[in-house]
């Protein structure tokens, strides 16, 4: 069925227009090709210089590489000058989580780095690789999976999936905290800042509200794997609305993906947030981790 903005209430149609921004869509290339230790990927092993140690939990369990972003590869693939916020043009970002934990290493009371969730950024990746440590880690992960009867990993930690980057545009998602402020910008008489509260104020049938919600998110191009743009949530946005310079923005989103056997709980989504100042300084030490599911 064809969809267009005429299927939306006028304020929502206007939000599609005024909130539009550029972002980077991530496509997963699950062809099984051999990837290098510096390639952009989900899963497997990433770059580890000879002077560094591999991240482990306090209990001695090796963390799993969720995702590795090679910013030089990204900059070669897309026009980063179109983006609302500057990305590094070099360096490797890595996000590690405890894939044996039922919360996948997340701590909702303290979403910054911990022993179960760690972030590393290698501005220079010319140093030789710590090959022995990576080999030992691979063996430790295999032994851990064999011994653990309650293995909760949202993805196959030893299967590497290549990342491909594409320029796309996107509008504010229905579950994002900015949605209410965009609605107010279209009509100052709108009193709510919640998408479904707004639909409820229109006295619609539940079926009609669900249809509008689906049409809106399709037109807004929400969900999926991406860098920058607007986050998508199955529950609610954990952020509090702040001034633009202080508001944590979406850096990275990894969604559930049946084709690549990625599942955050019950079809959930993981988001990683950073402030514009931190991103401009390539400071990923305070990257905020959140995931939710239905």
């Amino acid at each position: 069925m064809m969809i267009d903005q005429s299927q939306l209430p006028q304020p929502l149609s206007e939000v599609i227009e005024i909130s539009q921004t550029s972002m980077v869509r991530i496509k997963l290339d699950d062809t099984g090709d051999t990837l290098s230790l510096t390639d952009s990927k989900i899963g497997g092993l990433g770059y580890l210089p000879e002077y560094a140690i591999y991240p482990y939990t306090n209990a001695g369990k090796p963390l799993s590489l969720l995702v590795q972003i090679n910013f030089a590869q990204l900059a070669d693939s897309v026009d980063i000058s179109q983006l609302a916020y500057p990305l590094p043009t070099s360096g490797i970002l890595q996000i590690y989580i405890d894939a044996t934990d039922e919360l996948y290493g997340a701590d909702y009371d303290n979403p910054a780095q911990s022993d179960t969730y760690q972030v590393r950024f290698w501005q220079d990746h010319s140093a030789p690789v710590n090959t022995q440590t990576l080999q030992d880690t691979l063996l430790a992960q295999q032994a851990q999976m064999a011994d653990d009867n309650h293995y909760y990993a949202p993805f196959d930690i030893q299967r590497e999936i290549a990342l491909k980057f594409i320029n796309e545009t996107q509008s504010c998602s229905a579950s994002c905290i900015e949605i209410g402020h965009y609605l107010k910008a279209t009509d100052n008489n709108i009193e709510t800042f919640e998408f479904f509260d707004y639909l409820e104020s229109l006295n619609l049938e539940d079926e009609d509200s669900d249809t509008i919600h689906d049409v809106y998110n399709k037109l807004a191009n929400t969900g999926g794997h991406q860098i920058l743009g607007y986050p998508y949530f199955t529950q609610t946005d954990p952020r509090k609305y702040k001034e633009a310079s202080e508001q944590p923005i979406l850096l990275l989103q990894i969604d559930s993906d049946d084709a690549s056997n990625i599942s955050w709980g019950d079809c959930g989504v993981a988001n990683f947030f950073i402030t514009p100042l931190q991103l401009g300084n390539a400071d990923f030490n305070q990257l905020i981790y959140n995931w939710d599911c239905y």
Side-chain angles (χ1 to χ4, degrees):
M1 180 183 72
M2 294 292 293
I3 60 173
D4 59 57
Q5 288 176 222
S6 67
Q7 297 170 268
L8 299 175
Q10 184 60 31
L12 288 177
S13 179
E14 292 181 31
V15 171
I16 292 289
E17 298 295 332
I18 66 175
S19 67
Q20 192 170 94
T21 190
S22 296
M23 56 85 164
V24 178
R25 178 65 67 197
I26 300 174
K27 300 293 186 181
L28 304 188
D29 183 359
D30 198 9
T31 58
D33 292 342
T34 300
L35 302 177
S36 77
L37 289 173
T38 59
D39 279 336
S40 299
K41 66 179 76 174
I42 286 176
L45 295 174
Y47 173 72
L48 185 73
E50 60 182 358
Y51 56 82
I53 61 174
Y54 190 89
Y56 276 70
T57 69
N58 292 339
K61 296 187 297 183
L63 297 185
S64 300
L65 179 67
L66 168 61
V67 62
Q68 176 169 278
I69 305 292
N70 184 318
F71 283 110
Q73 290 181 341
L74 189 153
D76 286 342
S77 301
V78 300
D79 181 1
I80 62 174
S81 69
Q82 296 183 26
L83 303 175
Y85 299 94
L87 291 176
T89 56
S90 62
I92 290 177
L93 174 67
Q94 299 169 331
I95 297 176
Y96 291 89
I97 63 173
D98 182 0
T100 67
D101 173 42
E102 61 182 356
L103 293 180
Y104 312 139
D107 182 343
Y108 297 105
D109 294 324
N110 179 28
Q113 290 194 66
S114 66
D115 71 307
T116 58
Y117 155 60
Q118 295 186 34
V119 178
R120 292 185 173 181
F121 179 63
W122 309 107
Q123 182 64 69
D124 177 16
H125 50 86
S126 61
V129 173
N130 192 336
T131 304
Q132 186 60 55
T133 294
L134 290 178
Q135 291 175 345
D136 293 343
T137 298
L138 184 60
L139 293 174
Q141 288 177 336
Q142 291 171 342
Q144 181 175 283
M145 287 187 292
D147 292 340
D148 196 336
N149 294 323
H150 304 284
Y151 194 63
Y152 296 102
F155 62 103
D156 185 342
I157 67 172
Q158 295 188 329
R159 175 166 155 245
E160 296 186 333
I161 304 174
L163 309 184
K164 305 299 181 183
F165 307 109
I166 303 169
N167 281 111
E168 288 190 7
T169 59
Q170 184 180 62
S171 299
C172 186
S173 73
S175 53
C176 187
I177 57 173
E178 284 93 344
I179 187 70
H181 296 271
Y182 283 120
L183 277 169
K184 294 285 281 188
T186 68
D187 183 349
N188 197 48
N189 292 320
I190 295 176
E191 297 181 354
T192 180
F193 284 86
E194 299 291 338
F195 185 89
F196 279 107
D197 287 348
Y198 166 68
L199 294 185
E200 185 176 345
S201 73
L202 302 179
N203 297 315
L204 301 171
E205 297 291 336
D206 289 345
E207 182 177 317
D208 293 333
S209 291
D210 291 341
T211 298
I212 289 174
H213 177 253
D214 291 343
V215 168
Y216 179 88
N217 274 331
K218 287 177 182 177
L219 290 171
N221 190 25
T222 63
H225 319 295
Q226 67 186 69
I227 294 172
L228 298 180
Y230 296 100
Y232 164 81
F233 306 94
T234 62
Q235 301 294 330
T236 58
D237 194 332
R239 301 171 298 162
K240 304 297 183 184
Y241 195 82
K242 300 180 181 179
E243 293 297 324
S245 61
E246 300 176 352
Q247 177 66 58
I249 59 171
L250 178 70
L251 174 66
L252 174 68
Q253 178 169 285
I254 304 294
D255 207 345
S256 290
D257 191 319
D258 289 342
S260 296
N261 294 318
I262 299 172
S263 181
W264 297 92
D266 185 7
C267 298
V269 59
N271 310 102
F272 297 88
F273 299 100
I274 193 169
T275 68
L277 179 60
Q278 291 164 353
L279 180 57
N281 292 330
D283 176 9
F284 301 99
N285 290 323
Q286 299 180 64
L287 200 62
I288 296 172
Y289 170 32
N290 179 83
W291 73 270
D292 62 17
C293 67
Y294 291 102

